[in-house]
Amino acid sequence: MSTTTIAHFVAGQSSPGKSTRTQDVFNPATGAVTAQVHLASTADVKVVVAAAQKAFPAWADTSPLRRARVMFKFLELLNIHKDELARMITAEHGKVFTDAQGEVTRGIEIVEFATGIPQLLKGDYTEQVSTGIDNWTMRQPLGVVAGITPFNFPVMVPMWMFPVAIACGNTFVLKPSPIDPSPALFMADLLKKAGLPDGVFNVVQGDKEAVDALLVHPDVKAVSFVGSTPIANYIYETGAHHGKRVQALGGAKNHMVVMPDADIDQSVDALIGAAYGSAGERCMAISVAVLVGDVAERIMPKLIERTKALKVLNGTNLAAEMGPIVTSIAHQRITGYIEQGAKEGAKLLVDGRTFDAKNTGPGCEKGFWMGGTLFDHVTPEMRIYKEEIFGPVLSCVRVKDFAQAVDLINAHEFGNGVSCFTRDGNVAREFARRIQVGMVGINVPIPVPMAWHGFGGWKKSLFGDMHAYGEEGVRFYTKQKSVMQRWPESIGKGAEFVMPTSK
């Protein structure tokens, strides 16, 4: 059976590049190879960056209003084709269709924000700082910028980056995951139809060779990355060493604290959705439930029941609550963590390894299937607590009180997202103030910020100083310039402007 070939997108055209290396693309639900994606060489990356560099001067000189109008048209096309994008996500990533629709919607919200970026590009102005001299600031684009994005959100995460970068006047090179590369090309086609000039948005498919080529290329001025912490650290150090501005979002171990006064049914709903939605393959997934006081005895029976009852089906089935694992390699890694957790003494209450794939859907027997896994009596010394599993595994830790819960979370090396379920307003306030985590939810399990606020964690969950999208995204993709001007008609009419001297 012949398979589709997935290429790069360079200067407005599909291009296979010169490299002969390829990688199989799978449908995780069936295990079947559906396409082959080209993997760029260093020479291919140079061609892509050259196209972006060539397009930059004209795009930077394009008025912010004109750039915003392209974003408005892109937004219109996204809303027309959003279900097509969602189906691509389900076919190559495996997440259920309703989850994929939600991903596209959250990406669209960033595009909506980007249409208003002209307002955020305004500088400051001070007249008459000295006789006849005015001073103002302006924000200007950086040049060619790159985004290196993960498999788990092939639409939303790129949209955290390129709409903001492009609306600010930069040109963009997207390096998506080779696991699910098709949505990037679909978005490139929509941008072209929206009137974006050729070369302003480009897609280079590839693996580490392409990443390294972007990190060292002198014409790439900034790099945005989302992925695991070891790779985020590598991206940050390598990019910074080569003089680039870098924002690298890393891994997570997100906790959800359930206080004794919390609504138990609401907390169970939140834990099931946040732990097992998208098969736990998201950096904001809840992977640790911190059960305070006597709440464990009341919540565990319901968690066990709901975990066992998860509807694990082909993502195209609208009844599905969870789809397959993204790859066979990821399946093996998650299986190893479950084995390790049981070996270390955690109580394995629901074992996702025993899941039977025969009822997941026609032709799905060879897919990368796993059920939800639930551990109790997990301790901070265990690997399943310390490390990011990135799969449908929920670990429950029991603590005696609120203070111990806060100390537990603050001691962890990751600080991406966290949540607390409580009815007590003072507990909620103190939790939000004292927790050392970048994104906090109060009775909200997955507190992904809205498009105008910005996304980013603390500690080893973020390398770099600026969060993704929002106003921090605008600052990341622009540089400030200060201008002082003496107006000609004022020359000779007053005192000179004198620079202060340092002592």
Side-chain angles (χ1 to χ4, degrees), residues 367-388:
F368 313 133
W369 296 98
M370 177 180 288
T373 292
L374 180 64
F375 281 104
D376 194 7
H377 297 287
V378 174
T379 62
E381 297 76 27
M382 297 177 180
R383 282 185 61 197
I384 59 169
Y385 175 78
K386 292 189 293 185
E387 298 177 15
E388 184 176 37

Side-chain angles (χ1 to χ4, degrees), residues 29-67:
T30 64
V33 175
T34 57
Q36 286 192 322
V37 59
H38 287 274
L39 300 178
S41 65
T42 298
D44 291 329
V45 171
K46 288 180 178 178
V47 170
V48 177
V49 174
Q53 181 66 28
K54 182 179 179 181
F56 172 66
W59 184 244
D61 282 344
T62 301
S63 76
L65 183 58
R66 164 67 182 145
R67 298 196 298 251

Side-chain angles (χ1 to χ4, degrees), residues 236-256:
Y236 178 72
E237 290 182 350
T238 307
H241 178 75
H242 287 88
K244 303 186 192 313
R245 187 177 289 188
V246 182
Q247 57 177 193
L249 282 66
K253 197 69 179 180
N254 305 314
H255 300 68
M256 181 175 135

Side-chain angles (χ1 to χ4, degrees), residues 398-471:
R398 300 185 182 212
V399 298
K400 64 179 181 179
D401 56 27
F402 175 75
Q404 189 177 356
V406 170
D407 289 343
L408 176 82
I409 297 166
N410 286 349
H412 205 286
E413 66 176 346
F414 295 128
N416 206 49
V418 71
S419 182
C420 180
F421 274 61
T422 181
R423 290 187 175 99
D424 188 316
N426 185 62
V427 166
R429 182 177 185 273
E430 287 302 300
F431 184 82
R433 290 184 66 245
R434 298 184 186 279
I435 210 70
Q436 295 171 15
V437 175
M439 291 169 284
V440 182
I442 305 298
N443 298 319
V444 175
I446 303 180
V448 176
M450 295 305 294
W452 52 92
H453 280 289
F455 182 105
W458 286 13
K459 298 185 279 191
K460 288 189 177 180
S461 294
L462 175 67
F463 298 85
D465 298 321
M466 296 184 188
H467 290 191
Y469 65 84
E471 291 190 26

Side-chain angles (χ1 to χ4, degrees), residues 11-267:
Q13 303 295 326
S14 176
S15 170
K18 300 293 185 181
S19 171
T20 58
R21 295 188 307 127
T22 61
Q23 178 173 315
D24 289 339
V25 178
F26 292 87
N27 180 335
T30 64
V33 175
T34 57
Q36 286 192 322
V37 59
H38 287 274
L39 300 178
S41 65
T42 298
D44 291 329
V45 171
K46 288 180 178 178
V47 170
V48 177
V49 174
Q53 181 66 28
K54 182 179 179 181
F56 172 66
W59 184 244
D61 282 344
T62 301
S63 76
L65 183 58
R66 164 67 182 145
R67 298 196 298 251
R69 285 172 179 160
V70 173
M71 285 294 110
F72 271 114
K73 184 61 179 179
F74 179 52
L75 174 62
E76 177 188 345
L77 293 171
L78 280 172
N79 280 309
I80 292 171
H81 297 285
K82 58 185 178 183
D83 283 353
E84 291 174 66
L85 266 175
R87 281 189 284 270
M88 287 183 184
I89 296 168
T90 296
E92 292 183 349
H93 173 273
K95 69 177 64 173
V96 302
F97 182 66
T98 51
D99 272 357
Q101 287 178 307
E103 173 185 342
V104 176
T105 297
R106 292 308 300 266
I108 286 173
E109 290 169 0
I110 308 298
V111 181
E112 290 172 334
F113 168 79
T115 62
I117 277 177
Q119 164 71 13
L120 299 175
L121 295 177
K122 294 189 306 183
D124 299 316
Y125 191 98
T126 304
E127 66 173 351
Q128 204 72 353
V129 294
S130 188
T131 305
I133 299 176
D134 298 343
N135 189 186
W136 68 90
T137 60
M138 59 180 75
R139 301 204 72 87
Q140 295 184 317
L142 304 177
V144 179
V145 298
I148 301 166
T149 57
F151 72 83
N152 58 327
F153 287 99
V155 170
M156 183 184 75
V157 171
M159 285 196 199
W160 287 358
M161 303 172 185
F162 74 79
V164 178
I166 289 172
C168 287
N170 301 280
T171 55
F172 199 90
V173 177
L174 173 63
K175 206 300 290 180
S177 169
I179 291 173
D180 41 15
S182 295
L185 296 180
F186 191 82
M187 291 187 289
D189 184 60
L190 293 184
L191 282 164
K192 185 177 177 69
K193 291 177 179 176
L196 191 69
D198 292 345
V200 176
F201 179 79
N202 308 272
V203 178
V204 59
Q205 311 284 3
D207 53 10
K208 187 177 185 297
E209 183 174 348
V211 170
D212 286 341
L214 289 169
L215 290 175
V216 303
H217 198 297
D219 288 338
V220 176
K221 302 304 180 185
V223 176
S224 301
F225 171 82
V226 175
S228 68
T229 284
I231 306 302
N233 192 22
Y234 171 78
I235 296 286
Y236 178 72
E237 290 182 350
T238 307
H241 178 75
H242 287 88
K244 303 186 192 313
R245 187 177 289 188
V246 182
Q247 57 177 193
L249 282 66
K253 197 69 179 180
N254 305 314
H255 300 68
M256 181 175 135
V257 176
V258 183
M259 295 297 294
D261 68 331
D263 183 306
I264 296 299
D265 289 334
Q266 182 189 38
S267 300

